[in-house]
Amino acid sequence: MKIAILGFGSVGKGLARIINEKNLGIIITAVGDSKSGIIDNKGLDICKILDNKEKTGLCGDMKITPELILNSADYDVLVEVTPTNADTGQPALEYIKYALSKGKSVVTSNKGPIALEYSNLLKIAEENKCFLRFEAAVCGAIPIIHALEHGLAGNNIKRIYGVFNGTCNYILTRMSDEKLTYQQALLEARELGYAEADPTYDIKGIDAAIKLVILANTILGFHKTLDDVDITGIDNIPSDALQLAGEDEKTIRLIGEIDVENEKLRVSPRILLKNHTLVVQDTLNAVTAETDLAGNVTLIGKGAGSVETASSIISDLLFIRECNGRRY
Amino acid sequence: MKLEIKDSPGQLVAALKPVSDVGGNIKSVIHERDPLSESKTLDVEITLELPEGKLDDLKNLLKKSGVSILRIGEERFLIRKSVILIGHLIHTDLSDTVDRIDGTGFAEVGELSMIMPAVNEPTSAKLTIKSDSIEDITRAMDLLRDISRQKGILIVEPLEGI
Ligand SMILES: NC(=O)c1ccc[n+]([C@@H]2O[C@H](COP(=O)([O-])OP(=O)(O)OC[C@H]3O[C@@H](n4cnc5c(N)ncnc54)[C@H](OP(=O)(O)O)[C@@H]3O)[C@@H](O)[C@H]2O)c1
């Protein structure tokens, strides 16, 4: 199976490393970042490219653009791992559409295009008899899409709820356990690389809300946008509130929730017993699906990280190969 | 809650078991054999606490074990829900917020505990609303949400339940 990777940051490099180390039968024929690209249809020398990227900030030749890669490289699947733009989905949206319309399957970790245009992208994929997979876009390493779509097939899903943002979970964990103020905990999260320089998306609950929109539209067949989500972030939670919760052996976590029957999506800080399954520590994510046959099923794992996120991409790639009768 | 059961061995157990089956807690049991009664039944008055929303389950289980219920007492405000309010609570007149919940007649504020913050910081308070039924507590929560919206107060609600 031959793949082209667009985006060579944390996730892209993690993926390349795994493919290089594990004998998965996946060959990388092209890689592109924001300023350069490299193509070799017989398979690239990954070590050299990682080295180059490290030293120069470029993965390849500045003359090789993403468009050129999409057009002329030999690949079965495009792996799209460029930055998320929640408003426009670009440039990822164009890359994905282009690949699908040429009959190439796409695996992405990018929330933007899936939250904004899933039904349209699915239509293009179906018309061109190829796949669009996005396991890595929701809760990083946790195979939540696969679990809901395939593992729980035949169940009616009544509610999906849980911790969808590792940054907020880290901040709240530290406020609760160490009595840090919100500002102290945020600062610490930044120093450890768990929060971006501009943490707005995370702490205002927008990142969690986008993930709910993706689950609602892809698994439940809704047609939701970010505006349909009732969102409250954690930036107004004082440590006093966590102390009050703590008096009753409870704590506060940012919970994303899809009420399937009422088609309601909500992200808000909520009170939970400290020993509740969803009260996970630090940057972990945890999601419960309430179903009619299986009862409650909870998945817990890492919501981000280079290799962890790449794990979900690998799983999507192998799934596509399986579905294609291992033709490549 | 007052139950009527047949006067034969084992019947009391048959009446009490469903209470623990639904997670209830028996507070007291009072037998009274009515000397004037011709019938062979025994009246038992049971005072109990039930978890939220379990009354219907209990009624069904009792019916199945052949126990008939004479009367369901007027026990009030057994369902409770604790929330945390965050904002300029004193400034927005917390006692008015409490009065408006108490004034509904179907719900009341049980406990209220508060932490006094540093100057200019928002205040946090834990407030427990008590009511008779899930519907009433939902209505009280809707009212609290309205009041909080008007006053610019953030409510942190429990995850479970409503
Ligand atoms: N990191 C995680 O743990 C995680 C988890 C789940 C999902 N995701 C999602 O996965 C995606 C990638 O995340 P990341 O952490 O790897 O981001 P990142 O480290 O910022 O890397 C982004 C990569 O995309 C490249 N890029 C930027 N604009 C481009 C363009 N127009 N065309 C081609 N390449 C372009 C960048 O090029 P330069 O190297 O030249 O700057 C960089 O190599 C994002 O959508 C993110 O939301 C990440």
Side-chain angles (χ1 to χ4, degrees), chain A residues 7-11 33-34 53 81-84 91 95 109 111 136 304-305 309:
Chain A
F8 208 55
S10 173
V11 177
D33 57 26
S34 71
K53 181 74 184 167
V81 284
T82 67
T84 293
Y95 298 160
S109 60
K111 291 174 277 292
T309 306

